[in-house]
Amino acid sequence: MSDQILSKVRKLLAKAEDPACTPAEAEAFTAKAADLIAKYGVDRALLAAREPGTDLVGDRVVVLHPPYALDKAGLLAGVAGALRCRSVRRRERDAWTMHLFGFGSDLERAELLYTSLLVQAAHGMAAAPVPPGENAAAFRRSWLAGFGSAVTGRLRQSEASAAAAAGASTDLVLVDRSNRVEARVSESYPQLRTASRRRLAGGGMRQGYVAGTRADLGGAASIAD
């Protein structure tokens, strides 16, 4: 990202990460959730279509730290996928990692958002009481799943809106970028398998989903602050 945009996004995310931020304040931050980052992503894609050297397909590895490493993997996969990246979950010795593939600008967006969302999710889980008689770990896993589902849906909507606003020809550019990312994944993992869907028993899904609808995604509300 340009230094100016990166500075604006970081300021927004820092506000959302503040433990003193109330749910109402967080909801206000998301009045135009992810608009800034989504528009930036489309602008970079269109620029790269004219000047290919400005944004290249690449990859990076993100270590998933415990606790709830697999649940964090689900959040990262959702964020990365919404921002036109692909992710491959890997088990390496005693740790889980995610191998991300995408254009440089999209990888940067995904990692920046994911890092902030982890902090926001930690605050949200800490504030969510575990119902009597329910296993705390199971509750928090389902909470994270609900949070990730809400965040991913919002990101996809913002990305689609930004693409639509840029004009019909933008779709062809974005499809070409997605195809090139898929090709890189296939080269790196020719025998890649789809992971089986996890079954979660906890009752925190709804609370996590609500928290995800309020999470700050670096949108345009309060950019001038």
Side-chain angles (χ1 to χ4, degrees):
M1 294 185 185
S2 70
D3 291 341
Q4 182 179 13
I5 293 177
L6 187 58
S7 176
K8 291 177 180 178
V9 170
R10 281 178 170 160
K11 286 179 181 179
L12 286 169
L13 296 179
K15 290 180 180 181
E17 294 165 13
D18 189 341
C21 184
T22 67
E25 289 170 337
E27 194 167 1
F29 282 134
T30 59
K32 291 186 177 181
D35 287 356
L36 181 62
I37 284 179
K39 184 178 183 303
Y40 170 80
V42 170
D43 288 345
R44 286 298 304 270
L46 295 176
L47 174 62
R50 299 190 300 270
E51 303 175 24
T54 61
D55 201 13
L56 302 175
V57 178
D59 67 304
R60 62 185 63 180
V61 175
V62 178
V63 178
L64 303 165
H65 299 286
Y68 313 118
L70 287 178
D71 307 285
K72 292 173 181 177
L75 174 61
L76 178 53
V79 170
L83 302 185
R84 297 185 291 278
C85 299
R86 281 289 311 276
S87 56
V88 177
R89 191 180 72 196
R90 307 186 309 193
R91 179 70 175 178
E92 298 182 3
R93 296 184 180 178
D94 57 349
W96 288 96
T97 65
M98 289 285 273
H99 194 176
L100 302 182
F101 295 84
F103 281 81
S105 61
D106 294 331
L107 289 170
E108 186 177 22
R109 296 191 301 150
E111 194 163 11
L112 178 62
L113 273 175
Y114 169 69
T115 301
S116 176
L117 288 168
L118 275 185
V119 176
Q120 297 181 52
H123 293 327
M125 282 195 295
V130 179
E134 183 161 352
N135 179 273
F139 175 84
R140 288 169 183 147
R141 288 191 180 97
S142 62
W143 192 100
L144 267 174
F147 181 85
S149 176
V151 164
T152 298
R154 292 170 60 207
L155 284 173
R156 290 190 182 279
Q157 185 174 19
S158 294
E159 293 291 313
S161 296
S169 61
T170 305
D171 288 341
L172 295 177
V173 172
L174 298 182
V175 168
D176 178 67
R177 283 167 72 91
S178 294
N179 289 340
R180 291 170 64 184
V181 173
E182 290 286 352
R184 176 65 69 86
V185 174
S186 296
E187 290 173 3
S188 300
Y189 296 95
Q191 297 180 333
L192 187 64
R193 295 181 298 173
T194 301
S196 59
R197 187 179 182 86
R198 296 186 72 205
R199 295 184 178 181
L200 300 172
M205 181 79 73
R206 178 170 176 77
Q207 289 189 44
Y209 188 91
V210 171
T213 65
R214 293 173 173 170
D216 194 281
L217 306 179
S222 303
I223 284 177
D225 293 349

